[in-house]
């Protein structure tokens, strides 16, 4: 009988470590911007908190993780990641001043960068390639379930408990430290057995990026939309209750679609799935824009929830599809490089959503910001769809 993916060595530790860190992220992603906004920062300032978190995350992923692994090993590096993410959270509770929030976000970004890269690299090292789609789907659930529960809960918790207790709950990331230690031990043992293969995986960055750019572009666009909504849900929705419901719709839709995206990629391939789902997400962004344009009564809430439903489906589905496509297009020799690039673009997109849509909203309002982003999605769908069609014709039998 074929062993279940969840029972494979290291999979439980990957899921538990990642889930603890994502739980911290999910609580603070809407709370931190609202906290600094309550202290007088505008939309640009609130968006910069998310942008700082993701900018440091990306810098850590690109420039710090591999040297840290080489010097300290997987165990110490992974545990440090959970501690940076957790212990940096309560600093924000001291004051809503923007500089303090940016420092705290930077510390958390170091931890998030470490855990995200190590998680996907560990998955590619410990799980056989033929089971990759299912493993990616489970890995996605480890992120989607905490987001589904905690992100919609954050606005309500803020109203009931206040900002400071919610910010301190970001310490939950520390609970992942024991699992990180066990996972690091497994990967250290695996990489010690095959050092040559590990070094080969880090080569050819430029060529790998040229191959996997469609997956990275799609990922950046959809995570920016999701990150922007999580950052500005309280500002866009007509009430805190509707904001919580909309965040629940976003995250509860993303949870199963992340699993389905991985499973269906194994069955149908990624090219037939990626651009149509991005197109549906663009429609969702248009509806969110119409909601923010000032529709009256229940119409505003209905448009918002429909838009978030479509964006949430794309947000979950495309995360798994793009990871599978990036790893498959890069090939076994460059999976580590593809993992770093995928994670960097995931977090770049999340930060870009808060910063870019925040800047667009401050310049011309939230409706125009969402419509512009929908237009970027539509153009990308056309470009990538044409490219995939040319490749299909080139490789199809004549």
């Amino acid at each position: 009988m074929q062993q279940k993916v969840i029972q494979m060595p290291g999979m439980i530790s990957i899921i538990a470590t990642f889930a603890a860190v994502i739980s911290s992220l999910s609580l603070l992603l809407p709370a931190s911007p609202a906290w600094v906004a309550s202290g007088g920062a505008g939309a640009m300032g609130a968006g910069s908190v998310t942008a700082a978190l993701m900018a440091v995350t990306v810098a850590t992923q690109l420039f710090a993780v591999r040297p840290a692994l080489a010097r300290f090993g997987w165990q110490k590096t992974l545990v440090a990641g959970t501690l940076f993410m957790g212990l940096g959270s309560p600093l924000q509770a001291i004051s809503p001043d923007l500089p303090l929030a940016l420092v705290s976000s930077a510390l958390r970004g170091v931890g998030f960068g470490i855990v995200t890269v190590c998680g996907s690299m560990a998955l590619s090292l410990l799980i056989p390639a033929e089971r990759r789609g299912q493993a990616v789907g489970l890995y996605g659930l480890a992120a989607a379930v905490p987001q589904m529960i905690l992100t919609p809960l954050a606005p309500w918790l803020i109203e009931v408990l206040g900002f400071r207790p919610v910010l301190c709950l970001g310490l939950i990331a520390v609970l992942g430290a024991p699992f990180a230690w066990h996972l690091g031990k497994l990967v250290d043992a695996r990489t010690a057995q095959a050092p040559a293969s590990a070094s080969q995986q880090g080569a050819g960055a430029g060529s790998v990026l040229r191959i996997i750019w469609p997956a990275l572009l799609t990922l950046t666009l959809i995570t920016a939309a999701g990150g922007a909504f999580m950052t500005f849900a309280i500002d866009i929705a007509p009430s805190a209750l509707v904001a919580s419901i909309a965040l629940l719709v976003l995250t509860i839709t993303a949870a199963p679609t992340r699993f389905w995206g991985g499973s269906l990629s194994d069955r149908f391939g990624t090219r037939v799935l990626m651009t149509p789902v991005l197109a549906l997400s663009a429609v969702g962004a248009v509806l969110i824009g119409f909601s923010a344009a000032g529709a009256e009564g229940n119409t505003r809430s209905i448009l918002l929830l429909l838009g978030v439903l479509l964006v949430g489906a794309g947000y979950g589905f495309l995360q798994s599809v793009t990871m599978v496509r990036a790893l498959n297009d890069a090939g076994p020799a460059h999976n580590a490089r593809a993992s770093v690039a995928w994670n960097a673009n995931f977090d770049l997109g999340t930060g870009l959503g808060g910063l870019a849509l925040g800047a667009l909203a401050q310049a011309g309002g939230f409706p125009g910001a969402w419509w512009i982003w929908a237009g970027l999605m539509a153009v990308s769908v056309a470009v990538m769809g044409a490219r995939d069609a040319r490749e299909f014709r080139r490789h199809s039998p004549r």
Side-chain angles (χ1 to χ4, degrees), residues 57-96:
T57 296
V58 171
T60 301
Q61 290 166 337
L62 294 177
F63 304 115
V65 174
R66 293 176 70 82
L69 290 174
R71 181 171 180 178
F72 302 110
W74 276 77
Q75 282 183 303
K76 293 179 181 178
T77 301
L78 261 173
V79 171
T82 63
L83 297 180
F84 269 108
M85 188 70 179
L87 298 179
S89 301
L91 289 178
Q92 292 185 29
I94 297 173
S95 166

Side-chain angles (χ1 to χ4, degrees), residues 90 181 333:
W181 182 261

Side-chain angles (χ1 to χ4, degrees), residues 43-142:
M44 188 72 173
S48 69
V49 174
T50 302
L53 170 70
M54 295 308 168
V56 175
T57 296
V58 171
T60 301
Q61 290 166 337
L62 294 177
F63 304 115
V65 174
R66 293 176 70 82
L69 290 174
R71 181 171 180 178
F72 302 110
W74 276 77
Q75 282 183 303
K76 293 179 181 178
T77 301
L78 261 173
V79 171
T82 63
L83 297 180
F84 269 108
M85 188 70 179
L87 298 179
S89 301
L91 289 178
Q92 292 185 29
I94 297 173
S95 166
D97 290 344
L98 182 59
L100 181 62
L102 293 176
V103 170
S104 171
S105 295
L107 292 174
R108 298 176 71 240
V110 173
F112 194 56
I114 290 171
V115 172
T116 50
V117 166
C118 289
S120 57
M121 286 178 64
L123 187 148
S124 67
L125 288 169
L126 298 176
I127 306 300
E130 63 270 15
R131 311 296 295 278
R132 182 170 294 149
Q134 295 178 52
V136 167
L138 290 172
Y139 184 74
L141 281 179

